[in-house]
Amino acid sequence: MENLWLLYYLSPIILVALYSTSFHILNKLKKLPPSPFPALPFIGHIYLLRKPFHRSLSEVSRRHGPALFLRLGTRPVLLISSPSLAEECLSKKNDIIFANRPDLLNGRYFGYNYTSLSWSSYGDHWRNLRRISSLQLLSTQRLHTLSHVRADEAFNMARKLYRVTEDEPGKVLEVKSAVFEFTFNVLTRMITGKRYYGKNVESSKEAQILEEIAAETSEVAFETNVVDFLPLMRWFGFGDVEKKLISIHEKRDMFMQNVIEDNRGLMIKNDDDRVNKKTMVEVLLDLQRSQPQYYTDETIKNLLLVLLQGGSSTSTIALEWAFSLLLENPETLKKAQAEIDRHVGHSRLIAESDVAELPYLRHVILETLRLHPPVSILMPHLSSCDCVVGGYRVPAGTLLLVNLWEIHHNPKLWPDPEAFRPERFEGFDGKKDLGFKFFPFGSGRRACPGENLAMLNIGLGLGSLIQCFDWEKVGEIDMREGAGTTTPKVQPLTAKCIPRPFILNFLSSPPS
């Protein structure tokens, strides 16, 4: 009788052991990549994860290898943490196979049922969206025609900070708020022609709607991830997640539809003066006139929402991390400031054309993106058929995760990887020469199409703040990373800024 009771109590442990052992043996028989032991029933390897996820996945990779086959709930996952394997997946022989997206809830609701640029799988529709983004919205020529927007917003940011410090000398400022207002207004003006944040802005109601959307999206993010990987959790307290996503989607959709209607009503046909200064929504509405069957309102909305929300958040994160690192390394800040002083002088504000001539500033940006990439784990890909990666078989329907953070922090690739050393990028252009050792914007067919715009925003925003002010940190800076699809700072950066005497030479009147 005692043996029966012992067996009763031990049976769950025995079943878990049998499941884990069987999973491990089957993986080897199928020639799949190594898999950490054990894989538990129902949750698989989810027990290995903790916040921030990119660091916990790095620990797993360092223990078990750069190519791992994980079971995260119901989903098979290939975790890649080396440059050669990332290259094998994102270029060369497997690039088309991994050019697809998984059917996650964000793609269903925020990606217009998997038809947006971010969430559409590889095919004619996605290629057309990518072509529109590259040639019509984010081409070098289009970005150049809208450079006045970025210059104006850099000026507005510097002037606002000057006025704040003039009114309240020694005031502690939240740096994140300043850089967010800069990056977001740049994007909204390029996309819609309006700025949504700042003094005397008429669009405060729209700004409030956008803030509500961002807050609600953040609140539901955890529930969304749980249901994506553990669908049965719908029955255990996560049943309302899809209703919440539908509500958020309706707000996003209505916001952008209003933008379209406003611009449709204001557009003046054949106005030659605006040909070279059209906003992005005007460009798309012009295309809609000639090809209404393809450039539908829905296509326009999902293209612009991807640019607006993706571009503003990642650039803000990069700028805040850059300033945190500079305040922690004041000698580097002084060196970057001296370079700007030598090249730009004291009679005008730094311009976009100057950034290309400031190598040390560029190295600061690249080193920031290495240490703290805004997206530490690339957006998931999905294999469309069986393939081979690193000599292992990868089944169709496997979700691919590339741990960019681990590649950027690998001591075999980057000597003293935790140190902030912009000088390590001397002699490199940051992409062509470094290949898959460094690719903060992704790579291959699904690389971020807004890389050039992001680098322009980060360079001009960071350069303006360095040129116009001396900075002092307030106490110890919290350098912890948040968890999620992006990796912002856990605590917003605060600092004191002191206007440099000469900035009145050019802050008294807007840039020409």
Side-chain angles (χ1 to χ4, degrees):
M1 193 67 175
E2 289 180 2
N3 289 337
L4 288 175
W5 277 111
L6 182 62
L7 181 62
Y8 174 79
Y9 285 116
L10 290 177
S11 57
I13 299 174
I14 294 170
L15 289 173
V16 168
L18 288 173
Y19 173 88
S20 301
T21 304
S22 300
F23 180 85
H24 196 68
I25 293 171
L26 284 172
N27 279 5
K28 286 193 172 183
L29 292 174
K30 293 177 181 178
K31 298 182 179 179
L32 302 180
S35 184
F37 185 86
L40 302 179
F42 183 58
I43 66 169
H45 294 101
I46 287 179
Y47 70 91
L48 293 171
L49 303 182
R50 63 181 184 279
K51 298 179 180 180
F53 300 124
H54 57 274
R55 287 183 178 266
S56 60
L57 289 174
S58 290
E59 292 176 10
V60 173
S61 295
R62 292 181 183 189
R63 286 200 303 270
H64 299 283
L68 296 177
F69 190 78
L70 306 177
R71 177 71 63 172
L72 299 183
T74 61
R75 295 183 183 268
V77 174
L78 173 65
L79 175 64
I80 294 299
S81 304
S82 81
S84 60
L85 294 173
E87 184 176 11
E88 202 170 328
C89 292
L90 302 180
S91 66
K92 293 187 175 179
K93 60 181 181 180
N94 293 321
D95 57 343
I96 294 179
I97 292 173
F98 283 111
N100 304 288
R101 294 297 190 206
D103 57 342
L104 303 182
L105 290 175
N106 279 337
R108 182 183 304 170
Y109 295 107
F110 299 160
Y112 289 85
N113 199 27
Y114 312 107
T115 62
S116 73
L117 177 63
S118 296
W119 287 103
S120 176
S121 280
Y122 184 73
D124 290 341
H125 175 68
W126 177 81
R127 281 194 294 269
N128 282 333
L129 292 178
R130 182 74 180 205
R131 177 181 54 80
I132 295 165
S133 297
S134 300
L135 300 181
Q136 300 292 346
L137 303 181
L138 296 167
S139 66
T140 301
Q141 181 182 2
R142 179 66 56 194
L143 295 180
H144 178 71
T145 62
L146 294 171
S147 61
H148 66 283
V149 171
R150 298 185 292 277
D152 194 40
E153 289 304 324
F155 172 83
N156 288 333
M157 174 176 62
R159 184 168 61 177
K160 179 178 179 179
L161 290 179
Y162 171 75
R163 287 175 174 170
V164 169
T165 55
E166 186 180 38
D167 293 341
E168 299 181 60
K171 182 178 179 179
V172 176
L173 303 173
E174 187 182 284
V175 175
K176 181 178 181 178
S177 298
V179 296
F180 172 78
E181 184 175 311
F182 163 70
T183 57
F184 200 83
N185 280 335
V186 164
L187 284 165
T188 57
R189 286 183 63 187
M190 290 177 64
I191 292 170
T192 74
K194 287 184 180 179
R195 66 194 311 262
Y196 290 89
Y197 289 89
K199 190 177 180 181
N200 300 324
V201 170
E202 296 177 1
S203 308
S204 57
K205 184 180 289 187
E206 287 95 332
Q208 185 178 351
I209 293 170
L210 289 168
E211 287 174 357
E212 289 174 2
I213 291 170
E216 291 172 10
T217 304
S218 178
E219 288 173 6
V220 78
F222 174 73
E223 296 175 61
T224 305
N225 289 331
V226 169
V227 173
D228 275 329
F229 291 91
L230 299 170
L232 287 177
M233 292 302 290
R234 284 185 173 94
W235 306 103
F236 298 94
F238 293 87
D240 291 336
V241 63
E242 293 194 54
K243 291 181 181 178
K244 294 176 183 176
L245 292 173
I246 290 170
S247 174
I248 297 168
H249 167 68
E250 288 173 349
K251 289 182 181 179
R252 296 167 80 247
D253 184 79
M254 186 177 297
F255 171 84
M256 196 53 71
Q257 186 66 49
N258 288 337
V259 168
I260 290 173
E261 297 301 338
D262 289 346
N263 279 270
R264 186 177 278 137
L266 292 172
M267 282 177 66
I268 302 172
K269 294 181 181 180
N270 302 318
D271 185 350
D272 293 335
D273 292 336
R274 288 197 53 75
V275 168
N276 293 322
K277 290 188 177 181
K278 287 181 180 177
T279 63
M280 291 180 178
V281 69
E282 287 174 332
V283 170
L284 294 175
L285 288 173
D286 270 350
L287 291 169
Q288 189 183 64
R289 290 172 179 168
S290 58
Q291 300 180 61
Q293 72 284 356
Y294 186 75
Y295 291 96
T296 63
D297 282 5
E298 183 173 295
T299 297
I300 293 173
K301 284 183 288 190
N302 69 43
L303 273 168
L304 297 182
L305 282 166
V306 167
L307 290 175
L308 179 61
Q309 297 195 312
S312 61
S313 63
T314 52
S315 294
T316 299
I317 289 168
L319 277 166
E320 189 181 17
W321 276 118
F323 240 86
S324 299
L325 291 164
L326 287 172
L327 289 175
E328 285 284 82
N329 298 270
E331 70 288 347
T332 304
L333 176 57
K334 289 295 182 185
K335 188 173 178 179
Q337 193 177 67
E339 179 187 56
I340 295 172
D341 287 346
R342 286 194 304 273
H343 179 81
V344 180
H346 294 169
S347 61
R348 64 178 178 86
L349 183 63
I350 185 174
E352 237 171 46
S353 57
D354 295 315
V355 175
E357 305 300 322
L358 297 168
Y360 194 72
L361 177 65
R362 178 173 171 79
H363 298 158
V364 167
I365 295 168
L366 296 177
E367 179 70 341
T368 298
L369 295 174
R370 184 193 68 81
L371 269 173
H372 297 285
V375 179
S376 290
I377 298 174
L378 294 186
M379 193 169 174
H381 297 237
L382 188 75
S383 59
S384 57
C385 60
D386 287 7
C387 62
V388 176
V389 176
Y392 299 107
R393 188 176 74 85
V394 177
T398 299
L399 192 150
L400 169 67
L401 295 181
V402 178
N403 191 343
L404 189 65
W405 187 92
E406 167 59 19
I407 294 172
H408 285 189
H409 285 250
N410 188 329
K412 295 179 181 177
L413 304 173
W414 302 97
D416 197 10
E418 302 305 318
F420 178 61
R421 292 206 334 247
E423 293 78 7
R424 74 171 80 237
F425 282 93
E426 289 178 359
F428 299 103
D429 74 357
K431 186 175 179 181
K432 178 175 136 184
D433 297 335
L434 294 170
F436 282 81
K437 284 176 58 179
F438 178 79
F439 53 113
F441 296 95
S443 190
R445 294 170 193 266
R446 301 307 293 242
C448 175
E451 177 178 351
N452 290 339
L453 176 58
M455 291 299 289
L456 290 172
N457 281 341
I458 296 168
L460 187 59
L462 187 61
S464 300
L465 293 176
I466 292 172
Q467 179 194 19
C468 293
F469 305 97
D470 290 317
W471 294 85
E472 295 178 5
K473 70 176 185 176
V474 179
E476 292 301 314
I477 298 176
D478 188 340
M479 300 295 282
R480 290 177 299 160
E481 301 154 329
T485 53
T486 57
T487 48
K489 286 170 56 62
V490 170
Q491 294 295 328
L493 174 66
T494 58
K496 290 181 182 179
C497 71
I498 300 94
R500 301 179 76 192
F502 60 83
I503 67 171
L504 280 178
N505 296 342
F506 50 79
L507 286 188
S508 55
S509 58
S512 55

